[in-house]
Amino acid sequence: MASFKLTINNRAYDADVEQDTPLLWVLRDNLGLVGTKYGCGIAQCGACTVHLDGKAVRSCVLPVSAVGKAKVTTIEGLSEKGDHPVQKAWDEVDVAQCGYCQAGQIMTAAALLKENPKPSDEQIVSTMSGNICRCGTYHRIREAVKVAASKTN
């Protein structure tokens, strides 16, 4: 086992885990941050998306040893009160059906809007296409990203 010092949601954590342990399992099993979901384990569905220094990454395949000094943000840390523009837009548009994929969808959308505050429809579709929604709420997801973009500076 190795000891890793991690900065997650602007808090310092220590994790004593094997170096190849995926960040997802460190978050969920070792640190109790369960908002990030397991979907496929092969970085194909997006349910496990977190931010690493502001960039969307798939935590199910990212070994904790690769995090280094980067800052990790999970859905729990996106906003203190759940009032991030993307979260508010998700609620306004009533995106969630079963809700399982939503943390990953929201984290992907938030990273997109941070990098590109006014994305085109094509950019939204391209970015969000890596996230699978079993309920098929893609039209509402796209609409919520547009709503969030219209309310950000």
Side-chain angles (χ1 to χ4, degrees):
M1 292 250 220
S3 183
F4 295 93
K5 295 191 179 306
L6 304 167
T7 302
I8 303 168
N9 302 331
N10 296 314
R11 274 188 63 197
Y13 289 91
D14 291 313
D16 294 321
V17 296
E18 297 295 332
Q19 65 181 359
D20 62 347
T21 304
L23 178 60
L24 174 64
W25 300 122
V26 174
L27 294 170
R28 291 183 61 82
D29 294 347
N30 298 89
L31 305 178
L33 296 168
V34 297
T36 305
K37 304 299 183 204
Y38 172 80
C40 67
I42 57 172
Q44 295 298 302
C45 74
C48 68
T49 302
V50 299
H51 295 174
L52 195 64
D53 283 341
K55 303 283 186 201
V57 298
R58 304 296 169 87
S59 64
C60 71
V61 295
L62 181 70
V64 68
S65 59
V67 173
K69 296 188 184 302
K71 293 180 179 177
V72 177
T73 305
T74 68
I75 190 70
E76 293 95 338
L78 189 60
S79 67
E80 193 173 305
K81 297 179 181 175
D83 59 357
H84 184 280
V86 174
Q87 291 170 309
K88 290 170 76 173
W90 242 247
D91 188 46
E92 181 180 327
V93 177
D94 198 23
V95 171
Q97 190 164 321
C98 85
Y100 194 83
C101 71
Q102 298 309 297
Q105 300 275 4
I106 289 169
M107 295 304 286
T108 300
L112 167 64
L113 295 178
K114 183 175 182 182
E115 185 177 310
N116 181 359
K118 303 295 180 195
S120 67
D121 287 350
E122 294 78 24
Q123 290 167 322
I124 294 170
V125 169
S126 175
T127 299
M128 300 305 296
S129 69
N131 289 70
I132 295 172
C133 175
R134 295 174 186 167
C135 300
T137 65
Y138 298 110
H139 62 289
R140 294 195 308 247
I141 291 167
R142 283 190 299 277
E143 182 61 27
V145 175
K146 289 183 207 178
V147 168
S150 73
K151 296 181 179 185
T152 57
N153 298 332

Coordinates of all heavy atoms in Angstrom, one line a residue, residues 103-143:
A103 N -24.8 12.8 -12.2 CA -23.6 13.4 -11.7 C -22.6 13.6 -12.7 O -21.9 14.6 -12.9 CB -23.1 12.6 -10.5
G104 N -22.4 12.5 -13.5 CA -21.4 12.5 -14.6 C -21.8 13.5 -15.7 O -21.0 14.2 -16.3
Q105 N -23.1 13.5 -16.0 CA -23.6 14.5 -17.0 C -23.3 15.9 -16.6 O -22.8 16.7 -17.4 CB -25.1 14.3 -17.3 CG -25.5 12.9 -17.7 CD -25.4 12.7 -19.2 OE1 -25.0 13.5 -20.0 NE2 -25.8 11.5 -19.7
I106 N -23.7 16.2 -15.4 CA -23.5 17.6 -14.8 C -22.0 17.9 -14.8 O -21.6 19.1 -15.2 CB -24.1 17.7 -13.4 CG1 -25.6 17.7 -13.6 CG2 -23.7 18.9 -12.7 CD1 -26.4 17.5 -12.3
M107 N -21.1 17.0 -14.4 CA -19.7 17.3 -14.3 C -19.1 17.6 -15.7 O -18.3 18.5 -15.9 CB -19.0 16.2 -13.6 CG -19.3 16.1 -12.1 SD -19.1 17.6 -11.1 CE -17.3 17.6 -11.0
T108 N -19.6 16.8 -16.7 CA -19.1 17.0 -18.1 C -19.6 18.3 -18.6 O -18.8 19.1 -19.2 CB -19.6 15.8 -19.0 OG1 -19.1 14.6 -18.5 CG2 -19.2 16.0 -20.4
A109 N -20.9 18.7 -18.4 CA -21.4 19.9 -18.8 C -20.7 21.1 -18.2 O -20.4 22.1 -18.8 CB -22.9 20.0 -18.6
A110 N -20.4 21.0 -16.9 CA -19.8 22.1 -16.1 C -18.4 22.3 -16.7 O -17.9 23.5 -16.8 CB -19.7 21.8 -14.6
A111 N -17.7 21.3 -17.0 CA -16.3 21.4 -17.6 C -16.4 22.0 -18.9 O -15.6 22.9 -19.3 CB -15.6 20.0 -17.6
L112 N -17.4 21.6 -19.7 CA -17.5 22.2 -21.1 C -17.8 23.7 -20.9 O -17.1 24.5 -21.6 CB -18.7 21.6 -21.8 CG -19.2 22.3 -23.0 CD1 -18.2 22.4 -24.1 CD2 -20.5 21.7 -23.5
L113 N -18.7 24.1 -20.1 CA -19.0 25.6 -20.0 C -17.9 26.4 -19.3 O -17.8 27.6 -19.6 CB -20.3 25.7 -19.2 CG -21.6 25.2 -19.9 CD1 -22.8 25.3 -19.0 CD2 -21.7 25.8 -21.3
K114 N -17.1 25.8 -18.5 CA -15.9 26.5 -18.0 C -14.9 26.8 -19.1 O -14.3 27.8 -19.2 CB -15.3 25.6 -16.9 CG -14.1 26.4 -16.2 CD -13.5 25.6 -15.1 CE -12.4 26.3 -14.4 NZ -11.8 25.6 -13.3
E115 N -14.7 25.8 -20.0 CA -13.8 26.0 -21.1 C -14.4 26.8 -22.2 O -13.7 27.5 -22.9 CB -13.4 24.6 -21.6 CG -12.4 24.6 -22.7 CD -12.0 23.2 -23.1 OE1 -11.6 22.4 -22.3 OE2 -11.9 23.0 -24.4
N116 N -15.7 26.6 -22.4 CA -16.4 27.3 -23.6 C -17.7 27.8 -23.1 O -18.7 27.0 -23.2 CB -16.5 26.3 -24.7 CG -17.2 26.9 -25.9 OD1 -17.6 28.1 -25.9 ND2 -17.3 26.2 -27.0
P117 N -17.8 29.0 -22.5 CA -19.1 29.5 -21.9 C -20.3 29.6 -22.9 O -21.4 29.6 -22.4 CB -18.7 30.8 -21.4 CG -17.3 30.9 -21.3 CD -16.8 29.9 -22.4
K118 N -20.0 29.6 -24.2 CA -21.1 29.8 -25.1 C -21.0 28.7 -26.2 O -20.7 29.1 -27.4 CB -21.2 31.2 -25.7 CG -21.3 32.3 -24.7 CD -22.7 32.2 -24.0 CE -22.8 33.4 -23.0 NZ -23.8 33.1 -22.0
P119 N -21.1 27.5 -25.9 CA -20.9 26.4 -26.9 C -22.0 26.4 -28.0 O -23.2 26.7 -27.7 CB -20.9 25.1 -26.1 CG -21.7 25.4 -25.0 CD -21.5 26.9 -24.6
S120 N -21.7 26.0 -29.2 CA -22.7 25.8 -30.2 C -23.4 24.5 -29.9 O -23.0 23.6 -29.1 CB -22.0 25.6 -31.6 OG -21.2 24.5 -31.6
D121 N -24.5 24.2 -30.6 CA -25.3 23.0 -30.4 C -24.4 21.8 -30.8 O -24.4 20.8 -30.1 CB -26.5 23.0 -31.4 CG -27.6 23.9 -30.9 OD1 -27.5 24.4 -29.7 OD2 -28.6 24.1 -31.6
E122 N -23.5 21.9 -31.8 CA -22.7 20.9 -32.2 C -21.6 20.6 -31.1 O -21.3 19.4 -30.9 CB -22.0 21.2 -33.5 CG -22.9 21.3 -34.7 CD -23.7 22.6 -34.8 OE1 -23.2 23.6 -34.3 OE2 -24.7 22.5 -35.4
Q123 N -21.1 21.6 -30.5 CA -20.1 21.4 -29.4 C -20.7 20.7 -28.2 O -20.1 19.9 -27.6 CB -19.5 22.7 -29.0 CG -18.6 23.3 -30.1 CD -18.2 24.8 -29.9 OE1 -19.0 25.6 -29.4 NE2 -17.0 25.1 -30.2
I124 N -22.0 21.1 -27.9 CA -22.7 20.5 -26.8 C -22.9 19.0 -27.1 O -22.6 18.1 -26.3 CB -24.0 21.1 -26.5 CG1 -23.8 22.6 -26.0 CG2 -24.9 20.3 -25.5 CD1 -25.1 23.4 -25.9
V125 N -23.4 18.7 -28.3 CA -23.6 17.3 -28.7 C -22.3 16.5 -28.6 O -22.3 15.4 -28.1 CB -24.3 17.2 -30.0 CG1 -24.3 15.8 -30.6 CG2 -25.7 17.7 -30.0
S126 N -21.3 17.1 -29.2 CA -20.0 16.4 -29.3 C -19.4 16.1 -27.9 O -19.0 14.9 -27.6 CB -19.0 17.2 -30.1 OG -17.7 16.6 -30.0
T127 N -19.5 17.1 -27.0 CA -18.9 16.9 -25.6 C -19.8 15.9 -24.8 O -19.2 15.0 -24.2 CB -18.9 18.2 -24.9 OG1 -18.0 19.1 -25.7 CG2 -18.4 18.1 -23.5
M128 N -21.1 16.1 -24.9 CA -22.0 15.2 -24.1 C -22.2 13.8 -24.6 O -22.6 13.0 -23.9 CB -23.3 15.9 -23.9 CG -23.2 17.3 -23.2 SD -22.4 17.4 -21.6 CE -23.5 16.3 -20.7
S129 N -21.7 13.6 -25.9 CA -22.0 12.3 -26.5 C -21.2 11.2 -25.8 O -21.6 10.0 -26.0 CB -21.6 12.3 -28.0 OG -20.2 12.4 -28.1
G130 N -20.2 11.5 -25.0 CA -19.5 10.4 -24.3 C -20.2 10.0 -23.0 O -19.7 9.1 -22.3
N131 N -21.3 10.6 -22.7 CA -22.1 10.2 -21.5 C -23.3 9.5 -21.9 O -24.1 10.1 -22.6 CB -22.4 11.5 -20.7 CG -21.2 12.1 -20.0 OD1 -20.3 12.6 -20.7 ND2 -21.1 12.0 -18.7
I132 N -23.5 8.4 -21.3 CA -24.7 7.6 -21.7 C -25.8 7.8 -20.6 O -25.6 7.8 -19.4 CB -24.4 6.1 -21.7 CG1 -23.4 5.8 -22.8 CG2 -25.6 5.2 -21.8 CD1 -22.8 4.4 -22.9
C133 N -27.0 8.0 -21.2 CA -28.2 8.1 -20.3 C -29.1 7.0 -20.7 O -29.6 6.9 -21.8 CB -28.9 9.5 -20.6 SG -30.5 9.6 -19.7
R134 N -29.3 6.0 -19.8 CA -30.1 4.9 -20.0 C -31.6 5.2 -20.3 O -32.3 4.5 -20.9 CB -30.0 3.9 -18.9 CG -28.6 3.3 -18.7 CD -28.5 2.5 -17.4 NE -27.2 2.1 -17.2 CZ -26.7 1.5 -16.1 NH1 -27.6 1.3 -15.1 NH2 -25.5 1.2 -16.0
C135 N -32.0 6.4 -19.7 CA -33.4 6.8 -19.9 C -33.6 7.6 -21.1 O -34.8 7.9 -21.5 CB -33.8 7.6 -18.6 SG -33.7 6.7 -17.1
G136 N -32.6 8.0 -21.8 CA -32.7 8.7 -23.1 C -33.1 10.1 -22.9 O -33.8 10.7 -23.8
T137 N -32.7 10.8 -21.9 CA -33.1 12.2 -21.7 C -32.1 13.2 -22.4 O -32.0 14.3 -22.0 CB -33.2 12.6 -20.2 OG1 -31.9 12.5 -19.7 CG2 -34.1 11.7 -19.5
Y138 N -31.6 12.8 -23.5 CA -30.5 13.6 -24.2 C -31.1 14.9 -24.6 O -30.3 15.9 -24.6 CB -30.0 12.8 -25.4 CG -29.3 11.5 -25.1 CD1 -29.9 10.3 -25.4 CD2 -28.1 11.5 -24.4 CE1 -29.2 9.1 -25.0 CE2 -27.5 10.4 -24.0 CZ -28.0 9.1 -24.3 OH -27.4 8.0 -24.0
H139 N -32.3 15.0 -25.1 CA -32.8 16.3 -25.5 C -32.9 17.3 -24.3 O -32.7 18.4 -24.5 CB -34.2 16.1 -26.2 CG -35.3 15.5 -25.3 ND1 -35.3 14.2 -25.0 CD2 -36.3 16.1 -24.8 CE1 -36.3 14.0 -24.2 NE2 -37.0 15.1 -24.0
R140 N -33.3 16.8 -23.2 CA -33.3 17.6 -22.0 C -32.0 18.0 -21.5 O -31.7 19.1 -21.0 CB -34.2 16.9 -20.9 CG -35.6 16.8 -21.3 CD -36.6 16.5 -20.1 NE -36.2 15.3 -19.3 CZ -36.9 14.2 -19.2 NH1 -38.0 14.0 -20.0 NH2 -36.5 13.2 -18.4
I141 N -31.0 17.1 -21.6 CA -29.6 17.4 -21.3 C -29.1 18.5 -22.1 O -28.5 19.5 -21.6 CB -28.7 16.1 -21.4 CG1 -29.1 15.1 -20.3 CG2 -27.3 16.4 -21.3 CD1 -28.6 13.7 -20.5
R142 N -29.3 18.4 -23.4 CA -28.8 19.5 -24.3 C -29.5 20.8 -24.0 O -28.8 21.8 -23.9 CB -29.1 19.1 -25.8 CG -28.1 18.1 -26.4 CD -28.3 17.9 -27.9 NE -29.6 17.5 -28.3 CZ -29.9 16.2 -28.3 NH1 -29.1 15.2 -27.9 NH2 -31.1 15.8 -28.7
E143 N -30.8 20.7 -23.7 CA -31.5 22.0 -23.4 C -31.0 22.6 -22.1 O -30.8 23.8 -22.0 CB -33.0 21.7 -23.3 CG -33.8 22.9 -22.9 CD -33.8 24.0 -24.0 OE1 -33.5 23.7 -25.2 OE2 -33.9 25.2 -23.6

